[in-house]
Amino acid sequence: MLFRSNIEPSNLTRDTATILKGPAYTGAISNLGIILWSATAAIMLFSSFHLYRNTVQRRAALMTFLYGALTTMLCFDDTYQFHEKAFSGIVYIPEEIIYAFYLISIVIIATVCRIVVVTTPYLIGLIAMFFFGTSILIDELNLPSGQHDAFIEDSFKFVGIFLWAIYHFKSAYGFISDMSWRKENFNK
């Protein structure tokens, strides 16, 4: 037993489908969402480092760093369900407070970095947030929609994750490929 508790070490290393004795596709869309969160966070954090070192546009570096850090938090939250389960045995934090924290964080970052946000395809980001909000609304309303309610909620969330990734990939690519911000153009 791990740490003198009832946690089997193999439960920390084995695949969820194996532990649950389910089919290999168990949680496939959720796992793909985690991969998208991870890829988005990695691209944003790498881009922030590159932008900070190679451009004069510090707001773009700041925006990519802050959204990269937030995306990392969202990835861990989605992976380990912090907003639902993980803190329940330690400290109780209502889901609504966690959701409000994420929304406020997004608004603060967008406000602080508004000069560069308007140069991004921000409409994609807003649509992603619409899908996240719809997913949360479906979850919070707890509508008795039958056996597919979790699928519908998770589908909205996955589309939100996908659009969030597209928005940040396009933004980071736009920042990095924009020659006018490169330091060497200002040293001539």
Side-chain angles (χ1 to χ4, degrees), residues 73 77 80-102 139-140:
M73 291 174 59
D77 186 348
Y80 299 109
Q81 300 176 338
F82 291 143
H83 67 280
E84 294 174 346
K85 297 178 183 174
F87 293 126
S88 61
I90 302 168
V91 62
Y92 175 71
I93 301 174
E95 272 187 324
E96 295 79 13
I97 291 176
I98 295 172
Y99 291 143
F101 167 78
Y102 290 139
D139 183 38
E140 291 298 314

Side-chain angles (χ1 to χ4, degrees), residues 23-49:
Y25 56 80
T26 301
I29 301 297
S30 178
N31 290 340
L32 187 56
I34 301 304
I35 291 168
L36 281 173
W37 282 129
S38 300
T40 304
I43 287 170
M44 295 304 289
L45 294 172
F46 173 79
S47 297
S48 70
F49 176 76

Side-chain angles (χ1 to χ4, degrees), residues 1-184:
M1 300 296 167
L2 187 64
F3 305 113
R4 296 183 187 184
S5 67
N6 294 331
I7 300 172
E8 289 291 332
S10 62
N11 284 349
L12 300 175
T13 59
R14 295 172 65 210
D15 184 79
T16 305
T18 303
I19 293 168
L20 297 175
K21 295 180 175 68
Y25 56 80
T26 301
I29 301 297
S30 178
N31 290 340
L32 187 56
I34 301 304
I35 291 168
L36 281 173
W37 282 129
S38 300
T40 304
I43 287 170
M44 295 304 289
L45 294 172
F46 173 79
S47 297
S48 70
F49 176 76
H50 175 78
L51 289 165
Y52 184 79
R53 293 198 44 160
N54 298 305
T55 71
V56 294
Q57 183 47 275
R58 297 290 189 232
R59 292 277 180 187
L62 179 64
M63 183 185 126
T64 55
F65 174 76
L66 292 174
Y67 276 131
L70 180 63
T71 302
T72 301
M73 291 174 59
L74 288 164
C75 179
F76 279 108
D77 186 348
D78 198 16
T79 302
Y80 299 109
Q81 300 176 338
F82 291 143
H83 67 280
E84 294 174 346
K85 297 178 183 174
F87 293 126
S88 61
I90 302 168
V91 62
Y92 175 71
I93 301 174
E95 272 187 324
E96 295 79 13
I97 291 176
I98 295 172
Y99 291 143
F101 167 78
Y102 290 139
L103 179 61
I104 290 167
S105 297
I106 290 167
V107 170
I108 288 172
I109 296 168
T111 303
V112 168
C113 301
R114 68 188 171 279
I115 294 167
V116 292
V117 168
V118 297
T119 69
T120 68
Y122 60 86
L123 187 58
I124 298 170
L126 290 173
I127 295 169
M129 290 182 57
F130 167 79
F131 277 92
F132 289 140
T134 303
S135 171
I136 291 168
L137 186 63
I138 291 169
D139 183 38
E140 291 298 314
L141 290 177
N142 237 352
L143 299 173
S145 59
Q147 65 184 16
H148 300 297
D149 56 345
F151 174 76
I152 293 168
E153 173 195 341
D154 291 338
S155 295
F156 274 96
K157 182 175 84 171
F158 181 77
V159 171
I161 295 169
F162 180 78
L163 292 171
W164 180 266
I166 295 297
Y167 168 69
H168 288 294
F169 293 169
K170 289 176 80 70
S171 296
Y173 180 78
F175 294 146
I176 289 172
S177 63
D178 187 349
M179 297 296 280
S180 65
W181 289 356
R182 300 240 171 127
K183 284 182 180 178
E184 60 266 16

